[in-house]
Amino acid sequence: MATINVYTESTPNPSTMKFLVNKLLINGSVDFPNKEAAQDSPFAQELFKFNFVNGVFFASNFVTITKTEDAEWEDIEALLKDFVKGAVESELAVKAVHHDSEVNFEGTETEVKIQQVLHDYVRPAVEQDGGAIHYKSFNEGIVTVELKGSCSGCPSSTITLKAGIEGLLKRMVPGVTEVVAEAM
């Protein structure tokens, strides 16, 4: 068995930290914004046993953990790093979700183009910061997305959404006039 290495990266959201491992944890992503949502995830359930864990998000080779306001990263980072290493080594299940490696977009030609741009250009950047973005709808020029992981509740997500994602979609997809995030 290969040695599991865990390293951390801060995210634009000061309440979240990204714990990266040298092993694929899940194909796709899954968000557990609270303890109740984590029912089918042994890994997330164990993380929520820590009273300072407020949210858990998994994607490819990382888990983004959101802490409570009263916790300080310098007090809990090493503990969480050790826990993640042990959980990955013991192959604690993230969730029984399997996504097809081929992505299928649905909807009108414009909706498919929006989803393609989000998948190809926005998703990799957002995942790098420990989050995820999901397309919800397109109606009368307005694209609605859902932000997960470190993006959910991040102070800089509004800037990213308006300056980055909205600008990109307006340039690449005729008819897009605005991008909004759906509240979680």
Side-chain angles (χ1 to χ4, degrees):
M1 182 175 95
T3 302
I4 297 298
N5 295 313
V6 180
Y7 66 98
T8 57
E9 285 182 3
S10 57
T11 72
N13 183 346
S15 296
T16 68
M17 186 165 293
K18 190 172 167 184
F19 292 78
L20 294 104
V21 298
N22 56 331
K23 181 179 179 180
L24 182 69
L25 298 176
I26 186 171
N27 282 321
S29 64
V30 62
D31 189 28
F32 303 105
N34 55 48
K35 189 183 240 175
E36 293 71 37
Q39 296 308 331
D40 349 337
S41 173
F43 200 143
Q45 283 180 341
E46 290 301 313
L47 280 168
F48 277 112
K49 288 182 179 176
F50 293 106
N51 62 357
F52 49 77
V53 171
N54 213 20
V56 178
F57 172 79
F58 294 94
S60 57
N61 69 329
F62 67 87
V63 55
T64 300
I65 300 172
T66 304
K67 67 174 186 66
T68 56
E69 281 186 38
D70 57 341
E72 297 297 332
W73 284 118
E74 50 271 8
D75 298 334
I76 62 175
E77 182 180 350
L79 176 68
L80 287 171
K81 211 168 161 179
D82 287 345
F83 173 82
V84 169
K85 179 177 171 53
V88 173
E89 285 173 344
S90 66
E91 298 185 6
L92 193 57
V94 169
K95 188 174 182 184
V97 170
H98 300 286
H99 295 278
D100 294 338
S101 55
E102 192 170 311
V103 181
N104 295 314
F105 304 122
E106 295 179 358
T108 66
E109 190 177 323
T110 301
E111 289 174 309
V112 168
K113 178 79 171 153
I114 291 166
Q115 292 170 68
Q116 190 72 55
V117 170
L118 289 173
H119 183 268
D120 294 348
Y121 298 97
V122 178
R123 180 189 55 83
V126 170
E127 283 184 358
Q128 213 167 7
D129 283 338
I133 184 167
H134 295 284
Y135 170 81
K136 298 300 276 182
S137 65
F138 176 67
N139 189 14
E140 296 180 11
I142 300 171
V143 176
T144 303
V145 295
E146 183 179 31
L147 300 172
K148 295 183 174 185
S150 70
C151 297
S152 179
C154 173
S156 62
S157 66
T158 304
I159 296 163
T160 301
L161 193 67
K162 292 296 178 187
I165 300 166
E166 184 174 283
L168 180 69
L169 283 171
K170 281 179 173 179
R171 284 193 310 278
M172 297 183 79
V173 184
V176 171
T177 58
E178 186 179 8
V179 178
V180 297
E182 188 177 78
M184 291 281 290

